Amino acid sequence: MSEVFELRQYTHHPGKRDVLIELFEREFIETQEAAGMRVLGQFRDLGDPDRFVWFRSFPDMVHRKEALTRFYGGPVWKAHRDEANATLIDSDNVLLLRLVDPWFPFPASLESPVLDITIYEADGSPANVARPLLCTEQSENTYPALPVRTGENAIVAFSSEPLPLNVQQRLRLEPTAKSQLRWIAV
């Protein structure tokens, strides 16, 4: 199996996004990584002041289940889950993804201060283009306590350059202070 990614989009009660970001960066990054996940980047959606978007990954679906079980059964989540959940209207907008082509890995840094991603409706076959792309992971959700979107084929492109597919959603994302995925000015 190959690396599995989650693209998570949270909708917050008005004015509560930064409350979660502060809590997330203080309590949840290191503890998720200690549980066996990689937190790849977290972002403010520039088009929606009440949306927080983030990526995490796992070596495969078996490790995903184990890591999520450790984290959500652990003391840090239990101590802070009520505070985190109080900021949220919805946390179920989650795409389970994999790389289209391992020769084009998940980006290590941003090409600009803002990350443009586009989610496309795929026709069942990933687009044949030379750039980092993620597509829907078709495996069964191994941790059903955290729902993921099912019954759709999506392509996630890390570019504003269009693909010949139907656009489902465009996001312009600004990295948070502790986002691993960020622009590095040279």
Side-chain angles (χ1 to χ4, degrees), residues 31-51:
T31 52
Q32 287 185 80
E33 290 176 349
M37 329 173 198
R38 288 190 321 144
V39 177
L40 300 168
Q42 55 277 358
F43 306 89
R44 287 177 180 88
D45 182 338
L46 294 175
D48 184 344
D50 298 319
R51 184 180 298 138

Side-chain angles (χ1 to χ4, degrees), residues 17-166:
R17 176 176 67 184
D18 285 339
V19 173
L20 180 71
I21 290 171
E22 189 278 323
L23 175 64
F24 189 94
E25 294 191 338
R26 186 183 73 233
E27 300 293 342
F28 298 149
I29 294 174
E30 290 82 6
T31 52
Q32 287 185 80
E33 290 176 349
M37 329 173 198
R38 288 190 321 144
V39 177
L40 300 168
Q42 55 277 358
F43 306 89
R44 287 177 180 88
D45 182 338
L46 294 175
D48 184 344
D50 298 319
R51 184 180 298 138
F52 173 63
V53 178
W54 62 293
F55 286 94
R56 66 180 168 192
S57 73
F58 310 84
D60 54 42
M61 292 299 287
V62 171
H63 285 92
R64 177 180 180 267
K65 179 181 180 179
E66 293 167 354
L68 292 173
T69 299
R70 277 191 295 275
F71 176 73
Y72 290 105
V76 173
W77 176 249
K78 287 179 181 177
H80 299 287
R81 70 178 168 213
D82 291 343
E83 182 182 359
N85 288 334
T87 70
L88 296 170
I89 294 172
D90 176 47
S91 62
D92 294 346
N93 186 353
V94 179
L95 284 172
L96 196 57
L97 304 161
R98 64 176 169 79
L99 289 170
V100 169
D101 183 342
W103 288 102
F104 298 98
F106 194 90
S109 63
L110 300 182
E111 296 177 3
S112 71
V114 173
L115 173 62
D116 289 302
I117 66 171
T118 305
I119 301 171
Y120 295 94
E121 296 173 11
D123 59 8
S125 60
N128 184 16
V129 295
R131 64 176 124 162
L133 294 174
L134 298 169
C135 64
T136 303
E137 170 59 54
Q138 297 298 335
S139 299
E140 184 176 335
N141 181 2
T142 55
Y143 194 80
L146 289 182
V148 298
R149 289 164 45 182
T150 59
E152 62 185 282
N153 288 316
I155 297 281
V156 177
F158 293 88
S159 171
S160 57
E161 182 182 327
L163 295 177
L165 299 169
N166 291 328

Side-chain angles (χ1 to χ4, degrees), residues 165-179:
L165 299 169
N166 291 328
V167 173
Q168 189 180 86
Q169 183 180 21
R170 282 197 169 91
L171 298 168
R172 291 189 44 79
L173 305 173
E174 175 185 60
T176 64
K178 289 191 174 181
S179 179

